[in-house]
Each structure stands twice: as C-alpha cells, then as structure tokens.
Amino acid sequence: MAAPRTAAELEASRGKRAALSIALIAAVVGLPLWWKTTETYRAYLPYSDISQLGLLRLQLTVPVEVVFFKGTLTAEQQRRIPSSDIKEKETVLNTHTTFNCRYEFRYRRTTYEEDELLSLPTLAEADRALQQQSKGIQGSLSLYVIPESTQLFPQGVSVYIGKHRRSLVKLTFDPSLSTEEILRTLFSNLDRVIQTMSFTEEAMTAALSDRISTNRFNKDDFENSRRAFKSSPGYEITFTLLNPDPKSHDLNWNISSASDQYIQPFLDKLQPVANFSVDSQILYYAILGVNPRFEKETSSYVLNAHNLPHVINPVEARLGSSAASLYPVLNFLLYVPEYFHSPLYIRDKDGKRVTSNAFHSPRWGGIMVYNVDYGNPDDLKFPVHVDIDMVKAMEVFLTQLRLLLGISKVYVSDNYQIENPGNEGLTDWELDKLLWTRAVENIATVTTTLTSLAQLLDQIGNIVINDNVASEVYNSVSSVQIALSELEVGRLENAFKASKEAITSSEKAFFDPSLLHLLYFPDDQKFAVYIPLFLPMAVPILLSLLKIAKEYKLSKKEPSKTD
C-alpha cells in the first residue's frame, strides 16, 4: 500500500491544481475574451464591386430625332429610309478607362401641325412654337431637315440652333441618291450640329481627367478642364465692391436688384446642377498688390497680364468668405481705382487692351476694373458720387460665371445662327452639355475615391470601419452603378442625380473622422497600455507552470517504488 500523504503534500497538490486551473481559464476564456473585446471593428465592404468600378467602361447614349420636312425627300426615298439607326464611336483613354458614344437616330416625317409651325415668318417663332408642342427630354436632340428652297432661313444661314434642344438644318437630297448615300450625306451634315449641341470627345476626355494622364490633353483642353470648378452639391457666389479711395468716391451699386435681374434667372436654370447662394459686401481701403504702370501715350495707367496673378492675393486676404464656407466660393470683384490711378486698363499677353477691362482666375473668380468718368476737372468736388452701371458689370460677371462653371463658349462657322439664351443666360442644350460633363466627372471622381479608399483600408489593418462608413460606401457603389446604367440608356437627368448622390456618399466615407481614430496607434503604445495590466497576473501563473513542469520532470527520473 502507498504511504498516506502528509498535509504538506496535499497542500502542494492543491496549489498545483489551482495554478493549472487559473492558467486554463486564462487561456480558454481570458485570452479569447480580451482578443474579441479589443479587436479593431471593420465592417464588410464590397471590395469586388469597387474593383470592377476601377475598370471603367462608359457608354453614353444620345437619342437623336431626325424629322424631314415636306419636300426634303421624295416619297420613294422617304419610304426607304429606316425608322431608326445607330452610330457608335469608342474612345480608349488607357487600359482601365474607355467611353463609347452611341447615337440612336430615329427618323420620321413632319406632322401636319409641324408643317404649319415651320411656315411661320422667322426661325425663332418656329422654334418657340415647336417647343410648345413638344418639349423633349434632357439629353435628347431634335433635328429638323428643311429643303434649301425654304424662305425661313436668312441669307447665308443653313443651320439654326434654338434655345431649347432643337435645330433646323437646311438640306436637300438629290432624287437619284440611294438610301445609303442619303444616310451618309445626312450624318456628315448633322454630325457637326450634334457635336455643337451635345458633348464632344474632348469634353468627355477632360471630364475623365482624374483617371488619365495629362499628356492626353492638348494645351487648350487642359486649361479649360482646370479653369472650371469641380462638381459640388453647392456653390457660394460673393460680389464685392472694392473702394480703395472712399475720400474721393461715394460709390452706389444696386447689387440686389442687379443680381435678381441678371444672375438669379441663370442660377434658377442651373438648379438641377447644384444649389447656389448669393451675397455681397463692400470693402474700403482695399488696394491692389501691384502698382499700375503709367503710359504717357494714352495718359492712363496699365496692368499687364504678368502682373494679374499678384493682384488677387492681397485682396483675397480681406474677403474672408471661403474660410467659413462648406462649398466652393466664386468671388466676383468690382474694383474702382483710386483717383490718382485713373483711368486704369488691363492689357493681355499681346499688349492689347482688354475690351471688358476684366480678367478671371481659374477656380477662384473674376475681377473687373471700373473706371469713373470725372468729367471736367475744374468742376470736381470730392467725394464724387458714382452710380455704378450694373448692366455693364453684370454682363462681365455672368460671362465669367459661365466659364467658371464649365459652360464654355461655342465656336461655329459663319453659316450657323445660334439663338441668344435671353434673360436666363443659358439654353437647354447648354444645360444638357453641362449635365453630361458633370455626370461623367462625378463618376470618374467616385470610382477613383472608392478605389483609393479600398486600397487604403486593405493595406492598413488597424483602421476602424464602422457601420456608417460601410453604409456610405454601399450607397456610393449602388448609386454609381445606377448612374452608369442610366447613361447607357440615355436618361441623362436620372444619371446625373445618381452621380451626385454617389459622389456625396463617397466623400462622406473617405473623409469620415472615425477612420483616423486608431490609425496613429503604434505597437509600442499598445505594449505600454497592456503590459501593466497583464504582467502582474501572467508572471505568477507562468512561474507556477514552470515549477509544476520541473517537478513533474524530476518525478519521472526517480525509480518507481514497489511494495
């Protein structure tokens, strides 16, 4: 029989079991619980969908309705013309960015009502009457082909582009032409009209600039793409009157009435693009950062083109509008020079006087120099009361505003007549061109933002991805997919709305402050936090385990005892 164990042996055995139990509980329960409660939370993201967006294949579909007026085609030719046709052109920018321009033509003859309307005295009246009958959808075009024998067109004009989404083209086909020859001649004549009223390959390439290298642009395209403000949900427009010499000038400008009359109709037309807010201010003793040069030949002061960049910085420091703004700020400054620097004129790079006496800075705003007519020097009494000619100033600012928002001037040949947009300052087809550009630009920005975000989160494992960020990413991916599908079927309005939602969600996700909470929490700081917590508990457990293992090893070496 084995000898009964002493109290010391029982106590030692109980200590060993306690140490083993504590070590087992710490390993089985404590460590997993600590690991789970201290791990970085990372919600799941649609990495596969984001990866697919990195390979962008855009299809831009433009519905084009071609309407033949009576006498343009013979009855036999009209019968042979197909009801529809498709023209496509693919542009490959790089290995991961291409876009395909798809024009879906639909051919028909004018109705009896349209025949009556096209018999009106002027082109503008005909276009206005046709618009009342059929307004057309955003992104679409209606091209009316009228025989050359018509008296509707003025002398020397063969193409009329109205204020809406409609163009009238003077064209006659030889009765002997085949169907293929008719379509070929028709497309060659209408292609330039379509390029004028809709997007161009150069405009789409510029809109995709975030995804391609700058060597794809020529100089003019690159400058145009960098001049306009990037797409934004809102813009703030600030009109500022600079009076550097209030002792000499008592300036009066009716900016409120002028803005309502000239700027607000334009902004109302742009309501689908973004939200706009307008404010104004007057700054006294605000001088330019450059001393004008006096010209004896003209007895005037001159600002040369190379001095203009230095004009903005000193003035901008006093504007103070962009610091508190959530949206991009467009600054429009009306500068009345001091009496001893009057008159002041701006000269361009070629040394010629700028007609508008104004200049604009890309993605910032514009400045106009307003010279005061002092009349007879002998009758001067200071301060001189000056009523600013707001019509003159608003014409310049509206032109600059169009450029800064990406609405560039259209250059056409002499046989084109483009209807003036009127008080709105923007035609329907110009709005569509802007929507095409903005939609594609938004898609390019969203795909680049989401791809960068996915790569960043994949490379840095200790960035927290909470549910809000994941929700914005999912919403952005879904919206950009909708935008792509809507562009493919030619629904421009829906595509632009989806692209706006996509870019808003992507920027919310990318700039979410929660992504930075644990980004700068290195490993040495983790050890500094956890060692004081775990070391006092871990050392006794480890020493006990080592002692138990050592005693077990010694007991194996002792010879076994037998009765």
Short mmCIF file of all heavy atoms in Angstrom, two decimals, residues 242-246 248-249 285-288 290-292 301 335-344 370-371 374:
data_model
loop_
_atom_site.label_atom_id
_atom_site.label_comp_id
_atom_site.label_asym_id
_atom_site.label_seq_id
_atom_site.Cartn_x
_atom_site.Cartn_y
_atom_site.Cartn_z
N LEU A 242 -14.91 96.96 -54.31
CA LEU A 242 -13.66 97.44 -53.69
C LEU A 242 -13.55 98.95 -53.91
O LEU A 242 -13.46 99.41 -55.05
CB LEU A 242 -12.46 96.72 -54.30
CG LEU A 242 -12.45 95.19 -54.19
CD1 LEU A 242 -11.19 94.63 -54.85
CD2 LEU A 242 -12.51 94.75 -52.74
N ASN A 243 -13.55 99.67 -52.80
CA ASN A 243 -13.41 101.13 -52.86
C ASN A 243 -12.12 101.52 -52.11
O ASN A 243 -12.14 101.77 -50.91
CB ASN A 243 -14.62 101.81 -52.21
CG ASN A 243 -14.59 103.32 -52.39
OD1 ASN A 243 -13.65 103.87 -52.94
ND2 ASN A 243 -15.63 103.97 -51.90
N PRO A 244 -10.99 101.56 -52.81
CA PRO A 244 -9.72 101.85 -52.13
C PRO A 244 -9.56 103.33 -51.75
O PRO A 244 -8.68 103.67 -50.99
CB PRO A 244 -8.67 101.44 -53.17
CG PRO A 244 -9.36 101.65 -54.48
CD PRO A 244 -10.81 101.34 -54.25
N ASP A 245 -10.43 104.18 -52.30
CA ASP A 245 -10.28 105.63 -52.07
C ASP A 245 -11.64 106.25 -51.72
O ASP A 245 -12.22 107.01 -52.50
CB ASP A 245 -9.71 106.27 -53.35
CG ASP A 245 -9.28 107.71 -53.13
OD1 ASP A 245 -9.23 108.14 -51.96
OD2 ASP A 245 -8.99 108.39 -54.13
N PRO A 246 -12.18 105.91 -50.53
CA PRO A 246 -13.52 106.43 -50.18
C PRO A 246 -13.56 107.95 -50.01
O PRO A 246 -14.64 108.54 -50.06
CB PRO A 246 -13.83 105.72 -48.86
CG PRO A 246 -12.52 105.29 -48.32
CD PRO A 246 -11.64 105.02 -49.49
N SER A 248 -12.39 109.96 -52.15
CA SER A 248 -12.60 110.50 -53.49
C SER A 248 -13.87 109.98 -54.14
O SER A 248 -14.41 110.60 -55.06
CB SER A 248 -11.41 110.17 -54.40
OG SER A 248 -10.21 110.70 -53.88
N HIS A 249 -14.36 108.82 -53.69
CA HIS A 249 -15.50 108.17 -54.35
C HIS A 249 -16.61 107.86 -53.36
O HIS A 249 -16.37 107.26 -52.31
CB HIS A 249 -15.07 106.86 -55.02
CG HIS A 249 -14.01 107.03 -56.06
ND1 HIS A 249 -12.95 106.17 -56.21
CD2 HIS A 249 -13.85 107.99 -57.01
CE1 HIS A 249 -12.19 106.57 -57.20
NE2 HIS A 249 -12.71 107.69 -57.70
N TYR A 285 -10.73 100.84 -48.59
CA TYR A 285 -9.27 100.90 -48.48
C TYR A 285 -8.63 99.56 -48.89
O TYR A 285 -7.59 99.19 -48.35
CB TYR A 285 -8.83 101.29 -47.07
CG TYR A 285 -9.34 102.63 -46.64
CD1 TYR A 285 -10.42 102.72 -45.76
CD2 TYR A 285 -8.76 103.80 -47.13
CE1 TYR A 285 -10.91 103.96 -45.37
CE2 TYR A 285 -9.25 105.04 -46.74
CZ TYR A 285 -10.31 105.12 -45.86
OH TYR A 285 -10.79 106.35 -45.48
N ALA A 286 -9.27 98.84 -49.81
CA ALA A 286 -8.72 97.58 -50.32
C ALA A 286 -7.99 97.88 -51.62
O ALA A 286 -8.61 98.19 -52.64
CB ALA A 286 -9.83 96.55 -50.55
N ILE A 287 -6.67 97.82 -51.57
CA ILE A 287 -5.86 98.19 -52.73
C ILE A 287 -5.31 96.95 -53.39
O ILE A 287 -5.26 95.86 -52.80
CB ILE A 287 -4.71 99.13 -52.33
CG1 ILE A 287 -3.77 98.44 -51.34
CG2 ILE A 287 -5.25 100.44 -51.77
CD1 ILE A 287 -2.54 99.27 -51.00
N LEU A 288 -4.89 97.10 -54.64
CA LEU A 288 -4.26 96.00 -55.37
C LEU A 288 -2.83 95.80 -54.90
O LEU A 288 -2.19 96.73 -54.39
CB LEU A 288 -4.28 96.30 -56.87
CG LEU A 288 -5.65 96.52 -57.51
CD1 LEU A 288 -5.50 96.81 -59.00
CD2 LEU A 288 -6.56 95.33 -57.29
N VAL A 290 -0.34 95.36 -56.74
CA VAL A 290 0.59 95.75 -57.80
C VAL A 290 0.38 97.23 -58.10
O VAL A 290 -0.75 97.71 -58.18
CB VAL A 290 0.35 94.91 -59.08
CG1 VAL A 290 1.26 95.37 -60.20
CG2 VAL A 290 0.56 93.44 -58.79
N ASN A 291 1.48 97.95 -58.28
CA ASN A 291 1.39 99.36 -58.67
C ASN A 291 1.25 99.45 -60.19
O ASN A 291 2.11 98.95 -60.93
CB ASN A 291 2.64 100.13 -58.24
CG ASN A 291 2.69 100.31 -56.74
OD1 ASN A 291 1.65 100.52 -56.10
ND2 ASN A 291 3.89 100.25 -56.17
N PRO A 292 0.18 100.07 -60.68
CA PRO A 292 -0.01 100.17 -62.13
C PRO A 292 1.08 101.03 -62.77
O PRO A 292 1.69 101.89 -62.13
CB PRO A 292 -1.38 100.84 -62.27
CG PRO A 292 -2.04 100.69 -60.93
CD PRO A 292 -0.94 100.65 -59.94
N TYR A 301 -3.21 104.50 -66.75
CA TYR A 301 -2.43 103.50 -66.03
C TYR A 301 -2.79 102.11 -66.57
O TYR A 301 -3.92 101.88 -67.02
CB TYR A 301 -2.72 103.58 -64.53
CG TYR A 301 -2.17 104.83 -63.89
CD1 TYR A 301 -2.90 106.01 -63.90
CD2 TYR A 301 -0.91 104.83 -63.29
CE1 TYR A 301 -2.39 107.17 -63.33
CE2 TYR A 301 -0.40 105.98 -62.71
CZ TYR A 301 -1.14 107.15 -62.74
OH TYR A 301 -0.63 108.28 -62.17
N TYR A 335 -13.66 96.56 -58.95
CA TYR A 335 -12.62 97.44 -58.39
C TYR A 335 -12.69 98.82 -59.04
O TYR A 335 -12.59 98.95 -60.27
CB TYR A 335 -11.23 96.82 -58.61
CG TYR A 335 -10.09 97.67 -58.10
CD1 TYR A 335 -9.81 97.73 -56.74
CD2 TYR A 335 -9.30 98.40 -58.98
CE1 TYR A 335 -8.76 98.52 -56.27
CE2 TYR A 335 -8.25 99.17 -58.52
CZ TYR A 335 -7.99 99.22 -57.17
OH TYR A 335 -6.96 100.00 -56.70
N VAL A 336 -12.88 99.83 -58.22
CA VAL A 336 -12.86 101.22 -58.69
C VAL A 336 -11.52 101.83 -58.29
O VAL A 336 -11.25 102.04 -57.09
CB VAL A 336 -14.02 102.02 -58.07
CG1 VAL A 336 -13.98 103.47 -58.59
CG2 VAL A 336 -15.35 101.38 -58.39
N PRO A 337 -10.62 102.09 -59.24
CA PRO A 337 -9.26 102.55 -58.89
C PRO A 337 -9.27 103.92 -58.24
O PRO A 337 -10.21 104.71 -58.39
CB PRO A 337 -8.55 102.57 -60.24
CG PRO A 337 -9.62 102.67 -61.26
CD PRO A 337 -10.81 101.97 -60.69
N GLU A 338 -8.18 104.20 -57.51
CA GLU A 338 -8.03 105.50 -56.87
C GLU A 338 -8.02 106.62 -57.91
O GLU A 338 -7.72 106.40 -59.08
CB GLU A 338 -6.73 105.55 -56.05
CG GLU A 338 -6.61 104.45 -55.01
CD GLU A 338 -5.80 103.27 -55.52
OE1 GLU A 338 -5.98 102.90 -56.71
OE2 GLU A 338 -5.01 102.71 -54.75
N TYR A 339 -8.32 107.80 -57.44
CA TYR A 339 -8.37 108.95 -58.36
C TYR A 339 -7.01 109.17 -59.03
O TYR A 339 -6.95 109.48 -60.22
CB TYR A 339 -8.79 110.20 -57.57
CG TYR A 339 -8.73 111.47 -58.39
CD1 TYR A 339 -9.65 111.71 -59.40
CD2 TYR A 339 -7.73 112.42 -58.14
CE1 TYR A 339 -9.58 112.87 -60.15
CE2 TYR A 339 -7.66 113.59 -58.88
CZ TYR A 339 -8.58 113.81 -59.89
OH TYR A 339 -8.52 114.96 -60.64
N PHE A 340 -5.93 108.98 -58.26
CA PHE A 340 -4.60 109.24 -58.82
C PHE A 340 -4.08 108.06 -59.66
O PHE A 340 -2.97 108.13 -60.18
CB PHE A 340 -3.59 109.59 -57.72
CG PHE A 340 -3.53 108.59 -56.60
CD1 PHE A 340 -2.76 107.44 -56.69
CD2 PHE A 340 -4.28 108.80 -55.45
CE1 PHE A 340 -2.71 106.54 -55.65
CE2 PHE A 340 -4.24 107.88 -54.41
CZ PHE A 340 -3.45 106.75 -54.50
N HIS A 341 -4.86 106.97 -59.75
CA HIS A 341 -4.52 105.84 -60.63
C HIS A 341 -5.58 105.64 -61.71
O HIS A 341 -5.75 104.54 -62.23
CB HIS A 341 -4.35 104.55 -59.82
CG HIS A 341 -3.03 104.42 -59.16
ND1 HIS A 341 -2.79 103.57 -58.11
CD2 HIS A 341 -1.84 105.03 -59.40
CE1 HIS A 341 -1.53 103.67 -57.72
NE2 HIS A 341 -0.92 104.55 -58.50
N SER A 342 -6.29 106.70 -62.02
CA SER A 342 -7.37 106.60 -63.01
C SER A 342 -7.00 107.36 -64.28
O SER A 342 -6.33 108.40 -64.21
CB SER A 342 -8.66 107.17 -62.43
OG SER A 342 -9.09 106.42 -61.31
N PRO A 343 -7.45 106.85 -65.45
CA PRO A 343 -8.12 105.56 -65.65
C PRO A 343 -7.12 104.40 -65.65
O PRO A 343 -5.96 104.59 -65.98
CB PRO A 343 -8.78 105.73 -67.01
CG PRO A 343 -7.87 106.67 -67.74
CD PRO A 343 -7.33 107.62 -66.69
N LEU A 344 -7.62 103.22 -65.30
CA LEU A 344 -6.78 102.03 -65.20
C LEU A 344 -7.30 100.99 -66.18
O LEU A 344 -8.50 100.66 -66.18
CB LEU A 344 -6.82 101.48 -63.77
CG LEU A 344 -6.06 100.17 -63.51
CD1 LEU A 344 -4.57 100.35 -63.78
CD2 LEU A 344 -6.30 99.71 -62.08
N TYR A 370 -13.45 99.11 -62.89
CA TYR A 370 -14.49 100.06 -63.30
C TYR A 370 -13.94 101.48 -63.18
O TYR A 370 -13.70 101.98 -62.07
CB TYR A 370 -15.72 99.88 -62.42
CG TYR A 370 -16.93 100.68 -62.86
CD1 TYR A 370 -17.87 100.11 -63.71
CD2 TYR A 370 -17.13 101.98 -62.43
CE1 TYR A 370 -18.99 100.82 -64.12
CE2 TYR A 370 -18.24 102.70 -62.83
CZ TYR A 370 -19.17 102.12 -63.68
OH TYR A 370 -20.27 102.82 -64.08
N ASN A 371 -13.74 102.10 -64.32
CA ASN A 371 -13.20 103.46 -64.33
C ASN A 371 -14.32 104.49 -64.22
O ASN A 371 -15.37 104.36 -64.86
CB ASN A 371 -12.39 103.71 -65.61
CG ASN A 371 -11.08 102.94 -65.61
OD1 ASN A 371 -10.32 102.99 -64.65
ND2 ASN A 371 -10.83 102.21 -66.69
N TYR A 374 -14.77 111.35 -64.62
CA TYR A 374 -14.75 112.51 -63.73
C TYR A 374 -15.22 113.79 -64.40
O TYR A 374 -15.45 114.80 -63.72
CB TYR A 374 -13.34 112.71 -63.17
CG TYR A 374 -12.89 111.59 -62.26
CD1 TYR A 374 -12.05 110.59 -62.73
CD2 TYR A 374 -13.31 111.53 -60.94
CE1 TYR A 374 -11.63 109.56 -61.91
CE2 TYR A 374 -12.91 110.50 -60.11
CZ TYR A 374 -12.06 109.51 -60.60
OH TYR A 374 -11.67 108.50 -59.77
#
